[in-house]
Amino acid sequence: MFIRLVADSFTRRPRRKLLTTAALALGMAVATAALSVSLDVGDRLAREFRSLGANLLVTPQADSLPLEIGGVDYRPVNSGAYLPEADLAKLKTIFWHNNVIGFSPVLEVKVSSSTPRWSPASATFVRPAANGDAVLIGTWSNHPVTLPDGGEFITGLQQTSPWWRIEGSWFEDGAGECIVGRAFADRNGVIIDSPLYLSTSTSDGLYLKVTGIFTSGSSEDNAVLTSLSIVQQYIEKSGQYRKLYVSALTKPEDDFGRRDPKTMKPDELERWSCSPYVSSIAYSIQQVLPGSDVRVIRRVAEGEGAILTKVRALLWLVTFAALLAAGLAVGASSAASVIERRTEIGLMKALGASSGAVGFLLAAEQLLLAFVGGGIGYSLGIFLARVVGEKIFGAAPEPSFLVLLVILCLAAGVTLLGSAIPLRRASRYEPAPILRGE
């Protein structure tokens, strides 16, 4: 009987029911789109931010007292302690190994550079006097790393510095090739495919073929980059490096994320370690790289966190506004419906229906509208989320059953809250005055 009463009531006054359903559907559509994009935007923006470069710097612990002025490290590039290259595969064994999307070891040495000229008389390249000082940087461009589980991970500068613009091509590891910064090339007249001679006061000269000219927008524009193995062999530091740049996906740090892990209780440390804060990932890396000091590149990490927080706050604000508008619309429609049905409510009470039964019947009708409007709104919201995702982030978020459940619960909650005052008033109606027409 109860189900029949609800069904009969639902089919009457279709215009008002349609308006209520439309208000709920529009509100839930906006909420669905905002929630879908919000759940997807964190990882997507984090990956986009990785184009800003590495957000972690690993150096030897014995070398952890930097001499920096204005963000520039003034320590000699070829002095200090070193770290073993063989340990780098351990980076993919930490708890957040999937968040580590790239790393690049670096070994630097100061050299004198010159561009050999072709001599037709001797049919050989003639090396002129040195053009000036330069920094030779050994690193990886696109290097395969064998992981402890037998898999392979490709990493290097192309993963940690994807924003670099390069004319020509990257060097190949161990092939006697190099790329030079734009400022260095312009100053020394270096062109692609030309030879480059580098030397130090304590070692023999080194010939490299220039395969590309890059622009980084930083100090590397005055440097020469080649494969790590060549520099290791050149300065007799086989299997070692001085710095390691790591690019990792992280979440914005809150007050808990900024706490010192040394002051945490065991349960707090476990919760902190299981959150992808940039500091917790740095802590995990330091555990697997003995003798290392891991520092956060704050200007990158904090910039990412601020933007992610603002984008999420904006999406939550839009969701709240949509839910508020839907709740007000449902409340107005419910109030009008209760006023129209005063006689019906009075008759039910005169026939013996209790106030609770009347309120429960009206609430059931509103919940049925909520589920219908929520289902329609979810379908519209998924379409809207795909449009927003493709236009802004280049990829649409996938439909989620969890979002559907959340939207149906939100629709039910908004409907009950919006209808609370009209339903409370309906349950307090006295039948006698109503049936007398008062």
Side-chain angles (χ1 to χ4, degrees):
M1 177 63 71
F2 179 79
I3 296 177
R4 191 175 73 179
L5 286 174
V6 173
D8 289 343
S9 176
F10 190 76
T11 57
R12 284 182 286 144
R13 299 178 182 86
R15 180 176 299 178
R16 191 170 300 282
K17 299 292 191 300
L18 182 62
L19 290 175
T20 304
T21 303
L24 278 169
L26 290 176
M28 294 306 112
V30 175
T32 299
L35 287 174
S36 298
V37 174
S38 179
L39 291 174
D40 186 71
V41 71
D43 290 342
R44 196 168 300 281
L45 281 180
R47 291 189 177 275
E48 292 291 335
F49 285 139
R50 291 299 86 243
S51 64
L52 297 176
N55 48 3
L56 291 168
L57 174 63
V58 181
T59 56
Q61 200 169 49
D63 209 20
S64 60
L65 296 176
L67 177 60
E68 292 186 358
I69 301 177
V72 179
D73 193 344
Y74 285 94
R75 289 172 299 179
V77 297
N78 55 352
S79 66
Y82 297 87
L83 291 170
E85 182 184 351
D87 287 342
L88 291 179
K90 296 179 181 178
L91 290 175
K92 297 298 287 183
T93 64
I94 64 173
F95 181 82
W96 292 106
H97 61 275
N98 288 328
N99 288 52
V100 177
I101 63 174
F103 48 88
S104 304
V106 170
L107 186 60
E108 301 175 344
V109 60
K110 281 188 176 180
V111 295
S112 297
S113 65
S114 60
T115 305
R117 307 297 181 187
W118 179 256
S119 172
S122 60
T124 58
F125 284 102
V126 177
R127 179 170 62 87
N131 294 348
D133 291 336
V135 175
L136 175 63
I137 301 177
T139 185
W140 294 340
S141 64
N142 211 30
H143 184 80
V145 177
T146 302
L147 304 180
D149 61 3
E152 190 175 78
F153 180 67
I154 305 298
T155 186
L157 278 181
Q158 295 187 48
Q159 285 72 35
T160 58
S161 302
W163 83 93
W164 284 15
R165 299 191 305 274
I166 186 163
E167 178 186 347
S169 62
W170 287 87
F171 59 85
E172 292 188 12
D173 287 332
E177 299 175 345
C178 70
I179 57 175
V180 299
R182 170 56 63 184
F184 178 89
D186 293 343
R187 186 175 65 252
N188 296 285
V190 176
I191 60 174
I192 296 175
D193 290 331
S194 67
L196 186 65
Y197 181 81
L198 305 171
S199 63
T200 67
S201 59
T202 59
S203 61
D204 296 333
L206 177 67
Y207 280 97
L208 297 173
K209 178 184 177 182
V210 178
T211 62
I213 299 174
F214 67 90
T215 303
S216 68
S218 57
S219 59
E220 286 84 0
D221 284 347
N222 288 293
V224 178
L225 272 67
T226 187
S227 61
L228 179 64
S229 59
I230 290 179
V231 178
Q232 288 172 338
Q233 183 179 2
Y234 184 57
I235 64 174
E236 298 180 350
K237 296 292 182 182
S238 178
Q240 296 178 311
Y241 65 92
R242 275 290 308 278
K243 294 180 182 179
L244 178 70
Y245 291 96
V246 181
S247 181
L249 299 175
T250 62
K251 64 176 290 187
E253 285 190 326
D254 49 23
D255 292 337
F256 178 71
R258 297 187 188 96
R259 289 181 57 185
D260 186 350
K262 297 178 181 178
T263 65
M264 295 181 184
K265 299 177 181 178
D267 59 329
E268 293 177 330
L269 180 61
E270 182 179 1
R271 181 161 63 93
W272 179 79
S273 300
C274 293
S275 300
Y277 299 121
V278 66
S279 53
S280 68
I281 294 178
Y283 180 81
S284 298
I285 291 175
Q286 192 163 359
Q287 301 306 303
V288 298
L289 297 182
S292 67
D293 178 63
V294 185
R295 287 178 284 170
V296 178
I297 303 178
R298 288 291 175 186
R299 67 178 183 273
V300 176
E302 291 178 357
E304 294 174 11
I307 295 175
L308 281 172
T309 300
K310 291 178 181 179
V311 170
R312 283 204 173 103
L314 175 61
L315 291 173
W316 283 112
L317 181 62
V318 170
T319 301
F320 175 77
L323 294 177
L324 180 62
L328 292 174
V330 170
S333 176
S334 178
S337 178
V338 167
I339 292 174
E340 287 181 358
R341 299 174 64 182
R342 290 178 74 249
T343 302
E344 178 185 342
I345 295 171
L347 182 58
M348 284 192 293
K349 285 198 168 186
L351 293 175
S354 64
S355 296
V358 172
F360 187 66
L361 175 64
L362 297 177
E365 295 173 6
Q366 295 298 318
L367 283 176
L368 185 57
L369 285 174
F371 290 137
V372 173
I376 297 173
Y378 175 78
S379 300
L380 294 175
I382 288 298
F383 174 76
L384 181 60
R386 293 186 68 85
V387 172
V388 172
E390 289 175 353
K391 294 293 184 182
I392 298 179
F393 302 108
E398 294 296 327
S400 170
F401 182 70
L402 176 62
V403 173
L404 174 59
L405 292 179
V406 171
I407 290 300
L408 293 179
C409 291
L410 285 176
V414 166
T415 301
L416 292 178
L417 288 175
S419 306
I421 295 177
L423 293 181
R424 185 168 178 269
R425 181 179 300 170
S427 66
R428 292 184 174 184
Y429 280 157
E430 294 293 334
I434 294 174
L435 294 178
R436 287 197 302 263
E438 297 179 1

